[in-house]
Amino acid sequence: DLTSTSSMILFLAAPMEQDVESPAVTTRKPKLPKQAREDLPKQLVDQVRAKRKVQRYVRKDGKCNVHHGNVQETYRYLTDIFTTLVDLKWRFNLFIFVLVYTVTWLLFGFAWWLIAYVRGDLEHIGDNQWTPCVNNLNGFVSAFLFSIETETTIGYGYRVITDQCPEGILLLLIQSVLGSIVNAFMVGCMFVKISQPKKRAETLVFSTSAVISVRDGRLCLMFRVGDLRNSHIVEASIRAKLIKSKQTKEGEFIPLNQTDMNVGYDTGDDRLFLVSPLIICHEINQNSPFWEISQADLDKEDLEIVVILEGMVEATGMTCQARSSYVTSEIKWGYRFMPVLTLEDGFYEVDYNSFHDIHETNTPSCSARELTEMNCRARLPLTWSVASKLSHTTTLVTQEEGLEEQTERNGDIANIESESKV
């Protein structure tokens, strides 16, 4: 139906020069057909793309937006059970913690009850002439309580093992050893999970936007990092990676290709003394992936910059890592960060209310390559221009021809004088 198709395209985008085929319009919000999307002007296509939700590789809070699916070799998680338990969420970790202890108490409680049942202790309850394996053990509940007392070394003194029960003594040794192993394993998991420095990264903040502006005559991409705590990050270092899909010359498509961005590795600027907020600078030079990207090109790019801050927590000595990312819409061309550090009476004060604030500045919209070429042409002397070079070459040729003619003329005069003397 060409009439419905035309009305649908007019409603969503703009008048088209040719009719296209599309499904019938329903009461739901119509979706633009593929053929119509291909025939739309480029500007309208860009507007449709801009409305789509940006898919991040790393979210702003530092969590990686990657899910592992179709993992066949799940047994690998059990080979490293300790790390698997530590990586579990708190609710599952606490559930397994309680479950392990409860199961071990029940198993050894059943073992103590079974020994009493096999020996016939349950049939001689209250018989003072009978020596049981465990005094005052008269059922499964009391055996379960005795198991808890043994494994946790509480020792109330009411239920005790006698020396007339060798199988009970052996079970006591086994439960003591296995109980110590279970305690070490589970308490170790809980300690490691509690002391993980993941929450320390919550006080390491990144600016919400990255900016591109001129610094010392060169285009630079900059972002800001800060630490909210008074306890500092020891040996802090920063690095950045560009996440962008690419296609090789051979036609191979590499999704989410990672490219290193130099943020001071060769000069040591990537090693930070993070006492106050710092602006991390990436100089856009020949080795930068932004070398040929202008302001207009940046708006069309589909890329993401992942920044990683690493260091050791001063209080615990454990390694901490904080991550964030910037997509194309979060990279502001022609802006700078507002200053946040002021000098007070005897100390420096950081105003974190202005941590994310930026202000506009004069910045060329061309790429760094074009800016460098313009600066090189501006620094050349006037005598090096093409016209002056040609003029200088012509003058030298004329002078050389004049000298040759003068030399020939002088030679002729000398010959005439010598003939007249003869």
Side-chain angles (χ1 to χ4, degrees):
D1 191 357
L2 297 178
T3 304
S4 61
T5 302
S6 302
S7 61
M8 178 183 63
I9 298 175
L10 287 171
F11 176 74
L12 287 177
M16 298 179 56
E17 297 180 358
Q18 58 183 0
D19 293 333
V20 293
E21 295 181 0
S22 64
V25 180
T26 60
T27 55
R28 296 179 298 177
K29 185 176 180 180
K31 182 178 180 181
L32 207 58
K34 180 178 179 181
Q35 182 63 32
R37 291 197 304 267
E38 294 177 353
D39 294 337
L40 279 175
K42 187 177 181 180
Q43 182 179 2
L44 296 179
V45 174
D46 293 338
Q47 293 177 0
V48 173
R49 290 179 179 176
K51 294 180 180 179
R52 294 186 303 177
K53 184 179 179 180
V54 178
Q55 188 69 30
R56 289 182 178 272
Y57 189 63
V58 176
R59 294 187 294 187
K60 295 294 287 185
D61 58 359
K63 295 182 180 179
C64 298
N65 194 21
V66 178
H67 299 273
H68 300 283
N70 298 325
V71 179
Q72 302 295 333
E73 300 176 348
T74 56
Y75 67 90
R76 295 181 180 272
Y77 294 104
L78 298 178
T79 57
D80 188 12
I81 187 64
F82 186 84
T83 305
T84 303
L85 291 177
V86 172
D87 290 340
L88 289 177
K89 295 183 179 180
W90 268 109
R91 55 180 177 267
F92 299 114
N93 202 291
L94 291 175
F95 174 76
I96 294 177
F97 185 85
V98 174
L99 181 64
V100 169
Y101 276 108
T102 304
V103 170
T104 55
W105 294 338
L106 287 173
L107 288 178
F108 282 104
F110 177 76
W112 286 113
W113 175 84
L114 184 62
I115 290 176
Y117 178 79
V118 172
R119 283 174 49 89
D121 295 342
L122 301 179
E123 299 176 358
H124 297 82
I125 297 176
D127 187 358
N128 296 328
Q129 302 298 324
W130 181 264
T131 303
C133 183
V134 179
N135 290 329
N136 301 315
L137 194 151
N138 51 16
F140 181 77
V141 176
S142 59
F144 176 71
L145 294 176
F146 180 72
S147 174
I148 296 175
E149 295 175 18
T150 302
E151 189 165 336
T152 58
T153 65
I154 294 177
Y156 290 117
Y158 182 70
R159 298 179 183 88
V160 293
I161 188 172
T162 62
D163 56 357
Q164 301 298 324
C165 184
E167 59 272 20
I169 296 174
L170 179 62
L171 182 60
L172 178 64
L173 294 176
I174 295 174
Q175 184 174 7
S176 299
V177 174
L178 292 181
S180 299
I181 295 175
V182 171
N183 289 334
F185 187 82
M186 299 308 301
V187 173
C189 287
M190 295 299 294
F191 176 78
V192 171
K193 190 168 184 64
I194 291 173
S195 60
Q196 274 186 322
K198 291 183 178 180
K199 295 301 180 182
R200 179 62 177 90
E202 297 293 333
T203 53
L204 297 174
V205 292
F206 297 86
S207 58
T208 55
S209 302
V211 298
I212 294 179
S213 60
V214 177
R215 175 180 281 189
D216 295 331
R218 298 178 178 88
L219 274 178
C220 297
L221 186 145
M222 294 168 283
F223 58 92
R224 179 183 272 167
V225 297
D227 188 4
L228 301 179
R229 287 188 179 273
N230 292 327
S231 59
H232 309 305
I233 296 294
V234 181
E235 296 184 2
S237 62
I238 190 77
R239 52 195 175 100
K241 285 185 174 292
L242 176 68
I243 309 298
K244 181 182 177 182
S245 301
K246 63 174 292 186
Q247 188 171 6
T248 62
K249 297 179 180 179
E250 295 77 15
E252 179 187 3
F253 180 74
I254 304 177
L256 302 177
N257 182 60
Q258 300 183 12
T259 305
D260 282 331
M261 296 176 57
N262 189 359
V263 289
Y265 177 78
D266 50 351
T267 60
D269 292 337
D270 62 329
R271 294 183 288 273
L272 311 178
F273 181 52
L274 198 59
V275 178
S276 60
L278 299 176
I279 296 178
I280 310 302
C281 178
H282 165 69
E283 181 182 337
I284 304 178
N285 51 25
Q286 293 87 343
N287 299 323
S288 172
F290 292 88
W291 173 242
E292 297 182 353
I293 295 180
S294 62
Q295 182 178 6
D297 297 332
L298 182 63
D299 297 334
K300 304 173 185 177
E301 292 288 341
D302 186 12
L303 54 85
E304 181 178 356
I305 300 175
V306 177
V307 293
I308 305 169
L309 176 62
E310 293 178 323
M312 290 190 301
V313 181
E314 188 178 28
T316 62
M318 301 185 70
T319 303
C320 174
Q321 185 182 91
R323 298 180 294 265
S324 186
S325 67
Y326 302 98
V327 294
T328 305
S329 60
E330 296 169 346
I331 303 175
K332 308 298 182 182
W333 191 291
Y335 286 85
R336 288 179 183 168
F337 287 104
M338 295 288 292
V340 296
L341 193 64
T342 57
L343 177 61
E344 300 296 334
D345 187 12
F347 62 92
Y348 293 95
E349 183 178 1
V350 178
D351 181 16
Y352 278 98
N353 290 329
S354 304
F355 182 84
H356 304 284
D357 294 346
I358 56 177
H359 66 91
E360 194 170 1
T361 182
N362 293 327
T363 304
S365 59
C366 61
S367 64
R369 178 178 181 177
E370 296 172 348
L371 180 62
T372 303
E373 292 175 353
M374 288 189 295
N375 292 335
C376 292
R377 287 195 297 266
R379 287 194 295 266
L380 289 177
L382 295 177
T383 56
W384 194 256
S385 61
V386 176
S388 60
K389 184 67 177 178
L390 293 176
S391 178
H392 181 66
T393 304
T394 304
T395 303
L396 291 177
V397 172
T398 305
Q399 291 177 357
E400 291 177 358
E401 292 177 355
L403 289 175
E404 292 177 358
E405 292 178 359
Q406 184 68 24
T407 302
E408 293 177 356
R409 191 176 302 166
N410 293 336
D412 295 337
I413 293 175
N415 293 331
I416 294 172
E417 291 178 352
S418 62
E419 290 177 357
S420 61
K421 289 179 182 181
V422 172

